[in-house]
Amino acid sequence: MNIAKHDAETDMEMNMTPMIDVVFLLIIFFMIITDLSQQELEDLELPMAEKAQEDKPDPKAKRPILNIKQNGQIIVKRDVLFDPADGNTDRSRVATFLQSMAERMEKVDGYPDDPVLIRADEFTPFREIQKIMEMCADQNIKIWKVELAAKVPDA
Amino acid sequence: MANRGRRKKQMRELTESKAEMQMTPMIDVTFLLLIFFMCTIKFKKLEGKLAAYLPKDMGQDTTEVDPVEKLDIRLDVVAEGERRSPDGKVAYRPGVHPRFEYVDRIFSIRIGPREFTSDRIEEVADRLRVFASDDPERPVTIDPRSGIVTEDVVRILDRVLDAGFKKVSFAGSYEG
């Protein structure tokens, strides 16, 4: 070790490396977080609502998110649970998903207290959503709070 | 002998300065990437939501008479309009465009019991405010009929909640 060399250049050289390691780690962290947080949200054109409340999701709350595309496909966490193509009407996978989410929710008076967020494209026929709401009324599910995702207009 | 000392210093300077030059731009790029990813997360989260409630006894037989008169809002399609590509310029083609946009769509809104029908949202919004000022606790049911899409319902729900109604629910679907 050279104690005699105390110019500024040598000092900087010694401190840089761990800082760069930390920065790279932060980048990888943000990359993973971004990917994970967007897993549940499909790319849709949401309907516009002026008085929509801002959606501040509580990470601890168990809120099922159902994405519904224009063609009626119901997608949860990138997985297509129901596809109405070819006259299919079997929504059992959606019902199973809702049931498992409802079981994990905190109950108040016997009813699950968390809402279900329905993110539907603006031109999805509304009866697709009505069918989901009817499923929620099922005795095994009993979810009674519904949130419809909307776009907030630019301020 | 003096030359040797100078050359040694030159060599040292060369090796030192090489490492220094490579570091700085790399750090700049890294910070830029970091800021980029931080901004990407922010944009995705700007979504809103409208809350509605499903009546807790939906699905069971409702033979009891309602003590409070529900306000029924019925939505019907008057003109379905044309399906266009997302930029609105050409007709929509299923395999080609990822989604379609409706153009020239008209739907009618009927607010019971006085059968006030309109297809202009602002008129409806005013009427809703009048009803809500009488009794904001009055339950409202939105009854979308065949052909109605999410956007129609969300626009009405937006105005219903804005008028001050607290209990909003939806009617069951009519098609099989």
Side-chain angles (χ1 to χ4, degrees):
Chain A
M1 248 188 14
N2 289 324
I3 308 169
K5 288 195 188 146
H6 258 309
D7 40 303
E9 296 158 354
T10 332
D11 277 356
M12 231 178 69
E13 214 179 302
M14 275 166 44
N15 287 340
M16 271 297 139
T17 321
M19 187 169 106
I20 296 166
D21 286 338
V22 169
V23 171
F24 271 124
L25 237 128
L26 278 173
I27 289 180
I28 295 171
F29 168 75
F30 275 117
M31 280 170 70
I32 296 178
I33 291 291
T34 316
D35 191 46
L36 286 178
S37 69
Q38 289 166 14
Q39 279 275 318
E40 293 204 284
L41 309 177
E42 281 289 316
D43 193 18
L44 300 167
E45 195 64 46
L46 292 175
M48 174 101 75
E50 282 171 31
K51 298 290 171 173
Q53 311 160 349
E54 219 179 271
D55 190 27
K56 292 189 198 77
D58 178 14
K60 275 181 284 169
K62 304 157 201 85
R63 183 179 66 165
I65 300 181
L66 294 163
N67 297 288
I68 313 176
K69 293 175 73 168
Q70 275 185 346
N71 53 16
Q73 277 183 343
I74 300 178
I75 302 175
V76 175
K77 295 200 183 85
R78 299 265 181 258
D79 188 20
V80 181
L81 296 187
F82 171 68
D83 190 339
D86 304 323
N88 177 23
T89 51
D90 179 23
R91 292 183 171 82
S92 51
R93 285 185 70 195
V94 185
T96 318
F97 168 70
L98 286 173
Q99 198 174 330
S100 61
M101 292 303 286
E103 276 165 18
R104 287 195 273 151
M105 286 182 191
E106 276 180 33
K107 309 262 193 311
V108 170
D109 289 334
Y111 285 91
D113 204 43
D114 290 313
V116 52
L117 176 63
I118 298 180
R119 290 185 75 241
D121 186 279
E122 54 181 347
F123 295 122
T124 308
F126 197 74
R127 55 185 275 270
E128 304 296 332
I129 300 181
Q130 281 174 309
K131 290 269 189 269
I132 293 177
M133 296 201 283
E134 279 164 18
M135 264 194 279
C136 288
D138 184 82
Q139 279 303 306
N140 297 328
I141 301 174
K142 288 201 276 198
I143 295 178
W144 65 285
K145 291 189 193 174
V146 168
E147 287 173 355
L148 293 174
K151 232 177 359 197
V152 273
D154 302 318
Chain B
M1 264 202 305
N3 267 350
R4 238 182 283 146
R6 217 182 303 134
R7 201 167 290 160
K8 226 181 175 180
K9 192 181 175 198
Q10 278 177 12
M11 284 299 287
R12 217 186 308 129
E13 277 180 12
L14 260 153
T15 43
E16 281 175 8
S17 61
K18 258 193 194 150
E20 221 182 293
M21 266 168 46
Q22 283 172 2
M23 278 296 144
T24 321
M26 191 167 98
I27 296 166
D28 286 340
V29 169
T30 331
F31 274 123
L32 237 132
L33 279 173
L34 189 66
I35 295 168
F36 166 76
F37 279 115
M38 284 171 68
C39 291
T40 320
I41 299 179
K42 261 216 157 171
F43 277 150
K44 271 286 175 175
K45 295 254 171 165
L46 275 173
E47 281 189 4
K49 60 184 178 185
L50 295 173
Y53 302 94
L54 304 175
K56 285 186 182 173
D57 58 359
M58 203 165 129
Q60 298 171 353
D61 57 359
T62 44
T63 46
E64 30 179 285
V65 179
D66 272 318
V68 184
E69 197 182 292
K70 273 199 278 209
L71 184 62
D72 195 67
I73 301 178
R74 180 176 150 160
L75 307 175
D76 283 285
V77 174
V78 171
E80 201 178 283
E82 207 187 303
R83 289 188 180 187
R84 293 269 181 88
S85 62
D87 58 11
K89 296 203 181 117
V90 291
Y92 165 71
R93 293 204 310 269
V96 176
H97 304 118
R99 55 181 297 279
F100 61 81
E101 293 266 326
Y102 271 126
V103 171
D104 298 330
R105 231 170 157 272
I106 308 174
F107 67 98
S108 74
I109 305 139
R110 192 187 80 177
I111 307 181
R114 259 161 270 157
E115 300 225 2
F116 164 76
T117 310
S118 169
D119 57 5
R120 292 203 314 267
I121 300 261
E122 288 318 311
E123 258 186 2
V124 173
D126 291 333
R127 203 46 102 88
L128 286 172
R129 264 184 278 255
V130 168
F131 279 119
S133 57
D134 287 336
D135 181 14
E137 293 292 323
R138 187 171 177 190
V140 175
T141 305
I142 300 178
D143 182 8
R145 293 295 167 116
S146 171
I148 290 288
V149 292
T150 311
E151 193 198 43
D152 306 334
V153 176
V154 166
R155 282 166 77 189
I156 292 295
L157 180 59
D158 191 22
R159 294 297 192 276
V160 168
L161 292 174
D162 185 35
F165 285 106
K166 303 279 194 303
K167 300 180 186 167
V168 188
S169 59
F170 293 94
S173 63
Y174 284 89
E175 296 154 80

